[in-house]
Amino acid sequence: MSSIIRWDPIREMSGMREMMDRLMEGDGYGRSLWDVSSVPTMDLYQTEDAVVVKTGLPGVKPEDIQISVANGVLTIRGEVKQEKEEKQRTYHLRERRYGTFSRSISLPSSVNSEKSEAVFEDGILTLTLPKAEEAKAKTIIVKARK
């Protein structure tokens, strides 16, 4: 004899939520799937003449960084190369990230990428992107008529 079980959509959704919670908690190795530590952090600000971006890139070599500006979007790509793993080591904790990264961000004003400057010092990349002439504030003098 079979019994009829009434379908309860709330119970079904509750089970799905539990599965999603477990998925988002991590990959089974203590790493969250929402971990953004592989994305470089940025500070972006404007001066009267330029847009300045500072990005922390620890462990990255300057020759492994690519920077582009297209359609008002700044993109920074790079790679942190993994050290040669030695078999005699027994790791107790391994959190540093290796591999490629990419970060794109919309710029707050038009820039002249031809005159941009990139300086890499102590793991910090500083980009100075001069504003395009049309993006600079212009003062308009008001003339009075008699």
Side-chain angles (χ1 to χ4, degrees):
M1 177 173 172
S2 64
S3 59
I4 297 176
I5 299 174
R6 185 173 179 187
W7 181 64
D8 183 1
I10 301 299
R11 185 178 64 224
E12 295 291 327
M13 290 177 68
S14 173
M16 286 177 52
R17 180 178 176 173
E18 288 174 11
M19 287 179 8
M20 290 298 292
D21 286 345
R22 282 195 306 272
L23 177 67
M24 296 308 155
E25 283 174 6
D27 61 359
Y29 296 100
R31 296 179 296 214
S32 169
L33 298 177
W34 292 105
D35 188 2
V36 294
S37 62
S38 60
V39 177
T41 57
M42 286 187 179
D43 292 339
L44 183 143
Y45 61 90
Q46 293 187 72
T47 65
E48 193 172 307
D49 298 319
V51 174
V52 180
V53 178
K54 292 190 176 200
T55 306
L57 299 173
V60 180
K61 295 180 181 174
E63 60 267 18
D64 294 329
I65 302 170
Q66 298 91 41
I67 304 163
S68 64
V69 177
N71 300 320
V73 176
L74 168 70
T75 301
I76 300 173
R77 288 187 174 88
E79 182 176 7
V80 180
K81 295 186 176 157
Q82 187 170 3
E83 300 168 352
K84 184 179 176 185
E85 188 173 320
E86 294 185 30
K87 299 295 179 191
Q88 292 87 16
R89 294 182 182 166
T90 302
Y91 284 93
H92 296 277
L93 182 64
R94 192 163 190 177
E95 295 180 336
R96 294 188 312 152
R97 302 286 181 180
Y98 300 100
T100 59
F101 61 87
S102 179
R103 174 97 189 254
S104 296
I105 189 164
S106 295
L107 296 171
S109 62
S110 299
V111 297
N112 183 348
S113 58
E114 299 294 321
K115 295 183 179 180
S116 298
E117 179 182 63
V119 176
F120 192 67
E121 183 178 7
D122 297 329
I124 304 293
L125 173 67
T126 302
L127 299 173
T128 304
L129 308 159
K131 288 183 181 177
E133 285 301 317
E134 67 269 9
K136 291 182 182 178
K138 296 184 176 46
T139 304
I140 301 171
I141 299 171
V142 178
K143 298 177 184 176
R145 290 194 179 174
K146 295 181 183 179

PDB file of all heavy atoms in Angstrom, residues 8-23:
ATOM      1  N   ASP A   8       5.239  19.978  -0.563  1.00  0.00           N
ATOM      2  CA  ASP A   8       5.390  21.223   0.198  1.00  0.00           C
ATOM      3  C   ASP A   8       6.550  22.011  -0.418  1.00  0.00           C
ATOM      4  O   ASP A   8       7.715  21.673  -0.207  1.00  0.00           O
ATOM      5  CB  ASP A   8       5.674  20.902   1.663  1.00  0.00           C
ATOM      6  CG  ASP A   8       5.767  22.152   2.523  1.00  0.00           C
ATOM      7  OD1 ASP A   8       5.597  23.268   2.000  1.00  0.00           O
ATOM      8  OD2 ASP A   8       6.032  21.992   3.737  1.00  0.00           O
ATOM      9  N   PRO A   9       6.263  23.051  -1.191  1.00  0.00           N
ATOM     10  CA  PRO A   9       7.337  23.798  -1.859  1.00  0.00           C
ATOM     11  C   PRO A   9       8.309  24.452  -0.872  1.00  0.00           C
ATOM     12  O   PRO A   9       9.490  24.584  -1.154  1.00  0.00           O
ATOM     13  CB  PRO A   9       6.603  24.840  -2.693  1.00  0.00           C
ATOM     14  CG  PRO A   9       5.239  24.933  -2.129  1.00  0.00           C
ATOM     15  CD  PRO A   9       4.952  23.610  -1.491  1.00  0.00           C
ATOM     16  N   ILE A  10       7.833  24.828   0.302  1.00  0.00           N
ATOM     17  CA  ILE A  10       8.704  25.450   1.297  1.00  0.00           C
ATOM     18  C   ILE A  10       9.755  24.445   1.769  1.00  0.00           C
ATOM     19  O   ILE A  10      10.931  24.769   1.910  1.00  0.00           O
ATOM     20  CB  ILE A  10       7.885  25.997   2.488  1.00  0.00           C
ATOM     21  CG1 ILE A  10       6.850  27.028   2.016  1.00  0.00           C
ATOM     22  CG2 ILE A  10       8.804  26.574   3.552  1.00  0.00           C
ATOM     23  CD1 ILE A  10       7.435  28.249   1.341  1.00  0.00           C
ATOM     24  N   ARG A  11       9.339  23.214   2.002  1.00  0.00           N
ATOM     25  CA  ARG A  11      10.272  22.184   2.425  1.00  0.00           C
ATOM     26  C   ARG A  11      11.302  21.926   1.329  1.00  0.00           C
ATOM     27  O   ARG A  11      12.487  21.757   1.602  1.00  0.00           O
ATOM     28  CB  ARG A  11       9.517  20.901   2.774  1.00  0.00           C
ATOM     29  CG  ARG A  11      10.440  19.824   3.349  1.00  0.00           C
ATOM     30  CD  ARG A  11       9.713  18.554   3.740  1.00  0.00           C
ATOM     31  NE  ARG A  11       9.131  17.945   2.543  1.00  0.00           N
ATOM     32  CZ  ARG A  11       7.910  17.456   2.471  1.00  0.00           C
ATOM     33  NH1 ARG A  11       7.124  17.461   3.524  1.00  0.00           N
ATOM     34  NH2 ARG A  11       7.459  16.925   1.356  1.00  0.00           N
ATOM     35  N   GLU A  12      10.867  21.912   0.093  1.00  0.00           N
ATOM     36  CA  GLU A  12      11.794  21.712  -1.034  1.00  0.00           C
ATOM     37  C   GLU A  12      12.819  22.845  -1.099  1.00  0.00           C
ATOM     38  O   GLU A  12      14.010  22.596  -1.296  1.00  0.00           O
ATOM     39  CB  GLU A  12      11.028  21.648  -2.357  1.00  0.00           C
ATOM     40  CG  GLU A  12      10.111  20.462  -2.478  1.00  0.00           C
ATOM     41  CD  GLU A  12      10.860  19.150  -2.597  1.00  0.00           C
ATOM     42  OE1 GLU A  12      11.956  19.130  -3.183  1.00  0.00           O
ATOM     43  OE2 GLU A  12      10.343  18.141  -2.079  1.00  0.00           O
ATOM     44  N   MET A  13      12.373  24.068  -0.921  1.00  0.00           N
ATOM     45  CA  MET A  13      13.278  25.216  -0.981  1.00  0.00           C
ATOM     46  C   MET A  13      14.237  25.215   0.200  1.00  0.00           C
ATOM     47  O   MET A  13      15.391  25.613   0.068  1.00  0.00           O
ATOM     48  CB  MET A  13      12.485  26.519  -1.042  1.00  0.00           C
ATOM     49  CG  MET A  13      11.764  26.688  -2.372  1.00  0.00           C
ATOM     50  SD  MET A  13      10.758  28.151  -2.450  1.00  0.00           S
ATOM     51  CE  MET A  13      11.997  29.410  -2.424  1.00  0.00           C
ATOM     52  N   SER A  14      13.767  24.755   1.346  1.00  0.00           N
ATOM     53  CA  SER A  14      14.620  24.674   2.524  1.00  0.00           C
ATOM     54  C   SER A  14      15.789  23.725   2.262  1.00  0.00           C
ATOM     55  O   SER A  14      16.936  24.014   2.613  1.00  0.00           O
ATOM     56  CB  SER A  14      13.807  24.203   3.725  1.00  0.00           C
ATOM     57  OG  SER A  14      14.640  23.957   4.821  1.00  0.00           O
ATOM     58  N   GLY A  15      15.526  22.603   1.643  1.00  0.00           N
ATOM     59  CA  GLY A  15      16.581  21.659   1.310  1.00  0.00           C
ATOM     60  C   GLY A  15      17.577  22.247   0.328  1.00  0.00           C
ATOM     61  O   GLY A  15      18.791  22.060   0.447  1.00  0.00           O
ATOM     62  N   MET A  16      17.073  22.995  -0.648  1.00  0.00           N
ATOM     63  CA  MET A  16      17.963  23.641  -1.614  1.00  0.00           C
ATOM     64  C   MET A  16      18.833  24.688  -0.927  1.00  0.00           C
ATOM     65  O   MET A  16      20.015  24.822  -1.234  1.00  0.00           O
ATOM     66  CB  MET A  16      17.143  24.284  -2.738  1.00  0.00           C
ATOM     67  CG  MET A  16      16.574  23.274  -3.704  1.00  0.00           C
ATOM     68  SD  MET A  16      15.540  23.997  -4.991  1.00  0.00           S
ATOM     69  CE  MET A  16      16.569  25.270  -5.652  1.00  0.00           C
ATOM     70  N   ARG A  17      18.249  25.409   0.010  1.00  0.00           N
ATOM     71  CA  ARG A  17      19.016  26.434   0.720  1.00  0.00           C
ATOM     72  C   ARG A  17      20.146  25.797   1.522  1.00  0.00           C
ATOM     73  O   ARG A  17      21.263  26.293   1.548  1.00  0.00           O
ATOM     74  CB  ARG A  17      18.114  27.238   1.637  1.00  0.00           C
ATOM     75  CG  ARG A  17      18.895  28.292   2.364  1.00  0.00           C
ATOM     76  CD  ARG A  17      18.066  29.135   3.238  1.00  0.00           C
ATOM     77  NE  ARG A  17      18.968  30.043   3.940  1.00  0.00           N
ATOM     78  CZ  ARG A  17      18.574  31.006   4.686  1.00  0.00           C
ATOM     79  NH1 ARG A  17      17.297  31.238   4.848  1.00  0.00           N
ATOM     80  NH2 ARG A  17      19.448  31.772   5.284  1.00  0.00           N
ATOM     81  N   GLU A  18      19.863  24.687   2.179  1.00  0.00           N
ATOM     82  CA  GLU A  18      20.904  23.991   2.934  1.00  0.00           C
ATOM     83  C   GLU A  18      22.028  23.539   2.015  1.00  0.00           C
ATOM     84  O   GLU A  18      23.203  23.659   2.351  1.00  0.00           O
ATOM     85  CB  GLU A  18      20.300  22.800   3.689  1.00  0.00           C
ATOM     86  CG  GLU A  18      19.433  23.196   4.861  1.00  0.00           C
ATOM     87  CD  GLU A  18      18.729  22.009   5.489  1.00  0.00           C
ATOM     88  OE1 GLU A  18      19.066  20.844   5.163  1.00  0.00           O
ATOM     89  OE2 GLU A  18      17.822  22.238   6.304  1.00  0.00           O
ATOM     90  N   MET A  19      21.677  23.038   0.841  1.00  0.00           N
ATOM     91  CA  MET A  19      22.698  22.614  -0.108  1.00  0.00           C
ATOM     92  C   MET A  19      23.530  23.805  -0.574  1.00  0.00           C
ATOM     93  O   MET A  19      24.761  23.706  -0.675  1.00  0.00           O
ATOM     94  CB  MET A  19      22.045  21.914  -1.312  1.00  0.00           C
ATOM     95  CG  MET A  19      21.529  20.540  -0.971  1.00  0.00           C
ATOM     96  SD  MET A  19      20.691  19.599  -2.307  1.00  0.00           S
ATOM     97  CE  MET A  19      20.915  20.503  -3.773  1.00  0.00           C
ATOM     98  N   MET A  20      22.896  24.927  -0.844  1.00  0.00           N
ATOM     99  CA  MET A  20      23.622  26.131  -1.266  1.00  0.00           C
ATOM    100  C   MET A  20      24.514  26.643  -0.143  1.00  0.00           C
ATOM    101  O   MET A  20      25.647  27.061  -0.391  1.00  0.00           O
ATOM    102  CB  MET A  20      22.647  27.230  -1.709  1.00  0.00           C
ATOM    103  CG  MET A  20      21.927  26.939  -3.003  1.00  0.00           C
ATOM    104  SD  MET A  20      23.030  26.778  -4.411  1.00  0.00           S
ATOM    105  CE  MET A  20      23.629  28.431  -4.570  1.00  0.00           C
ATOM    106  N   ASP A  21      24.021  26.602   1.093  1.00  0.00           N
ATOM    107  CA  ASP A  21      24.843  27.026   2.234  1.00  0.00           C
ATOM    108  C   ASP A  21      26.103  26.179   2.340  1.00  0.00           C
ATOM    109  O   ASP A  21      27.200  26.700   2.546  1.00  0.00           O
ATOM    110  CB  ASP A  21      24.049  26.947   3.545  1.00  0.00           C
ATOM    111  CG  ASP A  21      23.023  28.060   3.675  1.00  0.00           C
ATOM    112  OD1 ASP A  21      23.103  29.037   2.911  1.00  0.00           O
ATOM    113  OD2 ASP A  21      22.147  27.935   4.557  1.00  0.00           O
ATOM    114  N   ARG A  22      25.960  24.871   2.190  1.00  0.00           N
ATOM    115  CA  ARG A  22      27.128  23.988   2.256  1.00  0.00           C
ATOM    116  C   ARG A  22      28.093  24.286   1.112  1.00  0.00           C
ATOM    117  O   ARG A  22      29.314  24.294   1.294  1.00  0.00           O
ATOM    118  CB  ARG A  22      26.698  22.528   2.218  1.00  0.00           C
ATOM    119  CG  ARG A  22      26.164  22.023   3.542  1.00  0.00           C
ATOM    120  CD  ARG A  22      26.086  20.489   3.575  1.00  0.00           C
ATOM    121  NE  ARG A  22      25.344  19.904   2.474  1.00  0.00           N
ATOM    122  CZ  ARG A  22      24.025  19.693   2.484  1.00  0.00           C
ATOM    123  NH1 ARG A  22      23.312  19.999   3.545  1.00  0.00           N
ATOM    124  NH2 ARG A  22      23.434  19.141   1.448  1.00  0.00           N
ATOM    125  N   LEU A  23      27.565  24.552  -0.064  1.00  0.00           N
ATOM    126  CA  LEU A  23      28.398  24.868  -1.216  1.00  0.00           C
ATOM    127  C   LEU A  23      29.184  26.146  -0.981  1.00  0.00           C
ATOM    128  O   LEU A  23      30.381  26.224  -1.265  1.00  0.00           O
ATOM    129  CB  LEU A  23      27.535  25.008  -2.476  1.00  0.00           C
ATOM    130  CG  LEU A  23      28.260  25.412  -3.746  1.00  0.00           C
ATOM    131  CD1 LEU A  23      29.207  24.301  -4.178  1.00  0.00           C
ATOM    132  CD2 LEU A  23      27.280  25.731  -4.845  1.00  0.00           C
TER     133      LEU A  23
END
